[in-house]
Amino acid sequence: MTTTRQSARPRTASAAPAAFPLHKRVLTGLAAVSILGAAGCAGAEADAPDPATTTSGVSAAPVEETPAAAPEQASDGAAGSQTYQDGTYTETGGYQSPAGPEEVGVTITLEADVVTAVEVEPMPDNPTTTTYQERFAGGISDAIVGKKLDDLAVDKVAGSSLTSGGFNDAAEKIKSEARG
């Protein structure tokens, strides 16, 4: 049997007595921190001074506060933040297709800056353009209804990517008109 020998370490003044091992000291420290933390959090609300009394416990004159804004004033501010006037707007947008310049009619209904309805009227000059504008007209509602007018970024709808250029052109005209 082999015996291992431990080296003797000299005791210093900072070393803890053997009767109180390291793991117990750590647990005791954690418990103390936990208790102090909980007491500090719980005492924060309980120890809050009454604003109507001074430190000597004598009543002080109440401090006058500025009244909060009335609800009517707050709602007026919210209405003032609307960028566009509610209503239905119709414009024609133009774009370039491989067959030449094309146009598409766009009608957008707005309520509180949000698109609530949209219609696209195909105005093709070319048979191929007819197909794409009709596809676009059939899918645009799902893409933009419920979105804010300023958030519209139509790129490709129902396989039609060029018609979106005409739509975006018309939407910019509608934004200008709706600002009033």
Side-chain angles (χ1 to χ4, degrees):
M1 181 186 299
T2 309
T3 315
T4 56
R5 188 170 183 194
Q6 294 181 345
S7 62
R9 285 194 278 167
R11 283 195 163 223
T12 61
S14 64
F20 204 58
L22 177 64
H23 72 282
K24 286 187 178 180
R25 286 184 292 168
V26 170
L27 290 175
T28 302
L30 288 173
V33 169
S34 175
I35 290 170
L36 290 174
C41 290
E45 290 178 344
D47 294 339
D50 182 6
T53 62
T54 62
T55 55
S56 65
V58 179
S59 280
V63 176
E64 287 189 37
E65 295 181 17
T66 306
E72 301 86 42
Q73 292 171 340
S75 66
D76 288 345
S81 66
Q82 186 171 326
T83 305
Y84 303 103
Q85 294 177 357
D86 292 353
T88 300
Y89 302 90
T90 301
E91 289 290 341
T92 301
Y95 67 99
Q96 186 65 40
S97 79
E102 295 287 351
E103 290 184 329
V104 63
V106 176
T107 301
I108 293 178
T109 302
L110 296 174
E111 288 182 28
D113 295 350
V114 175
V115 176
T116 58
V118 62
E119 289 182 37
V120 171
E121 178 188 349
M123 304 173 142
D125 285 335
N126 179 303
T128 303
T129 303
T130 302
T131 303
Y132 286 110
Q133 284 189 4
E134 287 174 352
R135 287 184 190 171
F136 186 92
I140 189 64
S141 185
D142 291 340
I144 69 164
V145 170
K147 293 186 178 181
K148 289 191 168 251
L149 184 59
D150 281 337
D151 294 342
L152 298 184
V154 178
D155 186 20
K156 185 176 186 179
V157 174
S160 176
S161 58
L162 297 178
T163 309
S164 62
F167 176 86
N168 291 332
D169 181 44
E172 287 301 316
K173 292 175 184 176
I174 289 171
K175 287 179 187 180
S176 295
E177 182 182 343
R179 278 194 181 98

